[in-house]
Structure formats: structure tokens, C-alpha cells
Amino acid sequence: MSYSVLIADDDHSLRSVLSSALNKAGYDTVKAQNGEEAIDCVEKDEFDVILLDIFLGDTDGLDLIKSIQKLNPTASIIIITGHGTTQTAIEASKRQAYSYLTKPIDLINLLDLVSRAAAATHQTKNVQVAITSIDTNGQGKMVGQSPAMQAVYQIIGRAAVSDETVLIMGESGTGKELVAELIHQNSPRCDNPFVVVDCSAIPVSLIESTLFGHVKGAFTDAHTDRKGKFEQADSGTIFLDEIGELPIEIQMKLLRVLQEREIELVGSNGTRPINVRIIAATNRQLDTAVAQKTFRDDLYYRLNVIPISLPPLRERKEDIPEMIDLFTNQFAQEYQLPKVGISSETINQLAEYPWPGNVRELENAIKRALVMCSGQMLLKEHFSQIFDKTPDSTLDDQDLDQQIFTLLQGEVVRYLESDAETGELHAAIRAIFEKPLFEIVLEHTEGNRSKASEILGINRNTLHTKLNEYGIK
């Protein structure tokens, strides 16, 4: 494959030397002597790599990066500078340049860097193609051409070609699992297992056995040896969703896996080597959890090698029309419904809605609207559950505190007026108060269990157990 390289430098001799070296290495090159010519070239053609001098005579090369990225978002930009300072590296990274070279340029280093940059661009393009074709458990595809998502795609492409640990951060419903699958399917491990583990859904007593496996006789019901999720993912990728919900003692064991690349089965005195890539995700602020001593700092630093932060849907509203079109076509085909249109007025109103549940909420809204629609056009009335919400229909935090206080006050008074024995108040309040408390908080968070557990001051495993105990859906 022949890659294209734009060389933007005001030094004629350097342009010629770089062009000659790259041409001999099999690259197609185009030269520009100033910023205006560079922009003209990018407007006319798409490049895999752009070598951009920091001083172009008529403009600052760093200032051009944003304009170039809008025109050619997948290109890897390498800054050329005669002053290789720490600040130059910082400024280049802040503007999402791939790397930088210092003058005088070593041609061997140049060719190595351009080769890696071109591979990263190629991988990013592959990810964008894959974005239009990968489904995850029927939940739809990742789409979006907004600058925020373009930045995410670039990191996905670079993460895919490496084997480093990835930490995906984002609110519930932003598509963290889909990002993990995209990384896996575009990595050298793509033909091997991709194992998903929801750390918040496993009972505390079973987490260690679920992750690392156990040997026969390790505990009462261990009638045979059992492979854990890490062994199931051997040679592939394991995706640890809601990593922030892991108990501290399991965090320590996971840290050992990351450090030693081996696991110890429950009930075994030996270890087994493991070859697995770890991708973790969380909707919590792990740095805050580290400060609160609920998450190990050493594990956090081990996981956070390649961080990917997914923007909430409200911060990339320009992607909403494309998502509406995708989900409308997808669900019409899935449910064998006639293809319907959607009015521009409805699209504009959907784009202005804040979408607290992010892409997942939009997906469900489209699905519900298609079921409710009997005509050939989706209208505002088909999204009544979205548009009929008023500012007063969702409690703010002060209203929530007041409602909880009123409930507690009423139950305490009712109990004290009964004939109960001294010392039983706590048990009684727990029995009659917890269920309505959980119901109030879940209503406030619109069913978001992570937010509910934060408000209640308990972890998601405990909340999950309580909801099952009280039969709360």
C-alpha cells in the first residue's frame, strides 16, 4: 500500500531532502512552502501523514492543526521544529498531533516515525469503516462525525494496534462496550475471544471465582474445576465493565494479574500464566474513588495507560440526526415494519433534548416511537415520553432530600407510637423504610443504578441485591 505524505515547510532544501527520502521509501509526497499552500493541498487531497513545520513564515504551524484536522480528520500530523522543548511537545499533544521531530532531522528516525504514523492513520480509517458495520448485542452501531467522536476514533485506532491496557470512561449509555469491541476487532487479537464481564452484576462472594476460576473442592459447590473469565479470554481480550465496583480485595488480585500476567485459581496453591489484553470501563470518577480510598491508586495507574473519554450525547448534538436515521432503519428491518420518515421539526426537538441516558435512551425512544407509529412519518407525538417531561416532573436534589426526610420522619413517628420494644427502632426503620427509599432514589435517577448507588452511599452490588430482595424492577 502506498501512503501519501504532505510536507509543509518553508525551507526549500529541507522539503526536497524529506521528499526524496520518503519517495525512495515508497511514499507519495506533496510539498507546500507556507500555511496557505498547506491548507490548499489538504482541501484538494486526503493525506495519511502531514509533516508540518512549526514556523511556516506566514503562520504558526500549531495554529494550523485545528483547520487541517477539520479537513482531513484521520491524518497523523507530525510537527517539525528547530526548538525541541518540553513545551513544544505539550502544545503538540494538546492539539492532538501524532508526534514531533526536531531539526536537524535524522532520516532514519523520520522514516520510522512516518511509518508508525501512517499505520495509525490506516488503523483509524479501518475503525471508521468498522463503526458502520459492528453491532453489539443488538444495541446498535457507533456513529457520529462530530469533532468529539473523531478524536475518539483516532484514539481507538491507535489503541487497537498496541496491546496496552485501556480505560474507557463515560456516562451510562455512551457506548463503552462498543468501543471495547471496536478495539478488539481491529487488533491483532481479533480472531481470539472477546469476553465481557459486568463487575457490578456479580455477587461479591462469587467475583473471585468468576474472574479467576476455581479447582474442585475449593468450596461447598465446587464439584469440578472451572475456568474463570480470564482463562476463557486467553489469547484474546477481556472487557471489565464497571471496574469501579470491584471490592478492594479483588482489586489487589487484579493488580497482580496486570503485573505478573498470571492467575491463581480459588483453592489452588499454584499460578497459571495468562496472555490476555485488559480493557476496563467505568462511569465513575476513579480519581475521586482513589482519593476516597475505595479504589487502589496502583491499580488505577496500571489501568489508565490508554484513557478514552466518551462524550455524553448532549455534547455532540450534531450526531443525533445520523443516529436517528441509523436506529430508524435498523429497527424497521428488525421488527419487519415499513420504513418511515421523521419530520425535520421532530429531529430538531430531539436534538435539543438533553438525553440523560445518552445513546441508549435515544435508541429506546426510537424503538418505542416506531412501535407507536401507525403512519409513514415519526412525529413529536410519538415521543411523548420524552417531550411530555416537564422541569417539575424530575426531582432536583433538594426536593429529593425533602421527600426522603418526610418519609423517614413519618415512619419514625409511626413506629414510636406503636408498642415496639426499645432497641428495635433501627431494624424496624430498615424493614419499612429501605424499599420506598430505593424507589424514590431510582425514580429520581430515572433507573440509573450507578447514580442511585452514589446517592445512597452503597456499591452497585449491594443495590442490586436489595432491589432483588424487595422485588423492585
Side-chain angles (χ1 to χ4, degrees):
M1 177 182 292
S2 180
Y3 294 110
S4 58
V5 181
L6 172 64
I7 305 168
D9 196 294
D10 62 353
D11 185 328
H12 173 74
S13 298
L14 183 60
R15 288 199 310 273
S16 298
V17 169
L18 296 183
S19 178
S20 177
L22 290 167
N23 288 337
K24 287 180 181 178
Y27 295 96
D28 296 325
T29 60
V30 175
K31 294 175 283 187
Q33 65 180 344
N34 55 47
E36 184 178 352
E37 282 190 12
I39 292 297
D40 286 341
C41 291
V42 177
E43 286 177 338
K44 294 175 183 176
D45 297 299
E46 184 176 289
F47 296 93
D48 297 298
V49 180
I50 297 175
L51 300 175
L52 187 63
D53 189 9
I54 198 168
F55 295 117
L56 278 172
D58 62 341
T59 188
D60 185 328
L62 290 174
D63 292 337
L64 279 182
I65 292 179
K66 188 174 182 180
S67 299
I68 290 174
Q69 287 172 334
K70 283 184 178 179
L71 296 167
N72 195 165
T74 60
S76 295
I77 299 175
I78 299 173
I79 293 294
I80 298 175
T81 176
H83 307 281
T85 65
T86 300
Q87 190 58 38
T88 301
I90 291 173
E91 290 300 324
S93 297
K94 281 167 62 177
R95 290 166 170 80
Q96 297 178 338
Y98 180 81
S99 187
Y100 75 101
L101 284 166
T102 56
K103 298 177 182 178
I105 293 176
D106 184 301
L107 293 181
I108 295 177
N109 289 339
L110 166 76
L111 294 175
D112 176 65
L113 184 57
V114 169
S115 174
R116 288 187 282 116
T121 297
H122 178 63
Q123 197 67 44
T124 301
K125 289 179 179 178
N126 284 347
V127 169
Q128 288 185 311
V129 171
I131 283 165
T132 65
S133 61
I134 293 179
D135 286 294
T136 303
N137 298 326
Q139 292 185 356
K141 305 166 187 174
M142 176 169 284
V143 296
Q145 299 302 315
S146 62
M149 290 308 297
Q150 289 293 335
V152 169
Y153 300 154
Q154 288 189 0
I155 301 174
I156 290 174
R158 294 171 187 176
V161 296
S162 79
D163 207 38
E164 298 294 341
T165 305
V166 177
L167 179 61
I168 306 169
M169 296 161 285
E171 296 178 6
S172 295
T174 50
K176 296 186 287 294
E177 183 176 335
L178 182 52
V179 169
E181 187 172 354
L182 281 169
I183 293 172
H184 171 74
Q185 293 201 7
N186 288 275
S187 76
R189 296 178 180 267
C190 62
D191 294 327
N192 299 315
F194 176 73
V195 176
V196 179
V197 182
D198 184 351
C199 299
S200 67
I202 308 172
V204 175
S205 59
L206 297 178
I207 288 180
E208 184 176 1
S209 173
T210 299
L211 290 177
F212 309 120
H214 62 251
V215 298
K216 181 179 178 180
F219 45 85
T220 303
D221 294 324
H223 301 303
T224 60
D225 289 357
R226 179 190 174 190
K227 280 187 177 182
K229 297 295 186 180
F230 272 88
E231 277 196 278
Q232 293 173 29
D234 198 23
S235 299
T237 303
I238 188 168
F239 174 54
L240 302 175
D241 198 10
E242 301 300 349
I243 189 76
E245 306 300 328
L246 281 182
I248 285 289
E249 59 271 20
I250 303 299
Q251 293 177 26
M252 182 174 63
K253 295 180 181 295
L254 177 58
L255 178 63
R256 178 179 174 82
V257 174
L258 282 164
Q259 291 174 332
E260 307 297 334
R261 295 295 167 178
E262 60 185 24
I263 58 171
E264 181 178 344
L265 279 65
V266 177
S268 171
N269 293 323
T271 60
R272 298 182 184 180
I274 197 76
N275 173 20
V276 64
R277 184 186 194 173
I278 297 176
I279 301 178
T282 180
N283 61 14
R284 297 179 58 190
Q285 296 293 331
L286 287 190
D287 50 355
T288 301
V290 167
Q292 295 172 345
K293 307 297 183 183
T294 59
F295 200 86
R296 293 180 63 102
D297 56 354
D298 44 8
L299 176 59
Y300 172 62
Y301 299 131
R302 282 278 183 175
L303 292 172
N304 198 33
V305 178
I306 302 178
I308 299 178
S309 183
L310 294 183
L313 190 53
R314 62 183 173 275
E315 292 182 7
R316 54 185 188 104
K317 292 181 178 181
E318 60 267 49
D319 292 334
I320 290 177
E322 184 180 359
M323 291 182 183
I324 292 172
D325 184 60
L326 172 71
F327 291 139
T328 301
N329 292 330
Q330 176 181 317
F331 295 136
Q333 182 177 3
E334 182 179 338
Y335 299 132
Q336 297 183 337
L337 296 170
K339 188 173 180 179
V340 299
I342 182 168
S343 70
S344 57
E345 178 187 4
T346 304
I347 290 177
N348 292 335
Q349 290 174 319
L350 289 172
E352 291 306 312
Y353 177 70
W355 299 109
N358 293 296
V359 178
R360 187 181 296 123
E361 184 183 7
L362 173 61
E363 180 182 2
N364 290 334
I366 297 294
K367 189 181 297 185
R368 185 169 53 245
L370 283 173
V371 172
M372 299 302 295
C373 179
S374 57
Q376 296 183 340
M377 183 73 68
L378 290 179
L379 304 171
K380 179 180 177 180
E381 63 196 60
H382 299 124
F383 297 91
S384 57
Q385 286 190 284
I386 297 296
F387 295 130
D388 288 352
K389 290 181 181 179
T390 65
D392 296 331
S393 64
T394 302
L395 297 171
D396 60 23
D397 290 340
Q398 186 174 359
D399 291 334
L400 178 66
D401 292 342
Q402 182 60 47
Q403 188 168 342
I404 292 174
F405 174 77
T406 302
L407 173 66
L408 177 59
Q409 184 182 49
E411 298 297 350
V412 170
V413 171
R414 188 178 301 112
Y415 181 81
L416 292 177
E417 290 176 347
S418 69
D419 296 329
E421 296 181 7
T422 304
E424 295 181 353
L425 177 60
H426 177 74
I429 290 299
R430 181 181 176 189
I432 61 181
F433 175 62
E434 273 192 343
K435 182 177 180 180
L437 171 63
F438 290 154
E439 289 174 336
I440 290 172
V441 174
L442 282 168
E443 181 181 0
H444 173 69
T445 62
E446 297 183 329
N448 187 314
R449 295 190 178 192
S450 296
K451 291 181 181 178
S453 61
E454 289 180 10
I455 291 173
L456 292 164
I458 59 178
N459 64 44
R460 280 190 55 170
N461 285 325
T462 302
L463 178 61
H464 182 74
T465 301
K466 289 293 184 181
L467 296 184
N468 287 338
E469 178 183 338
Y470 294 127
I472 301 173
K473 300 296 184 182

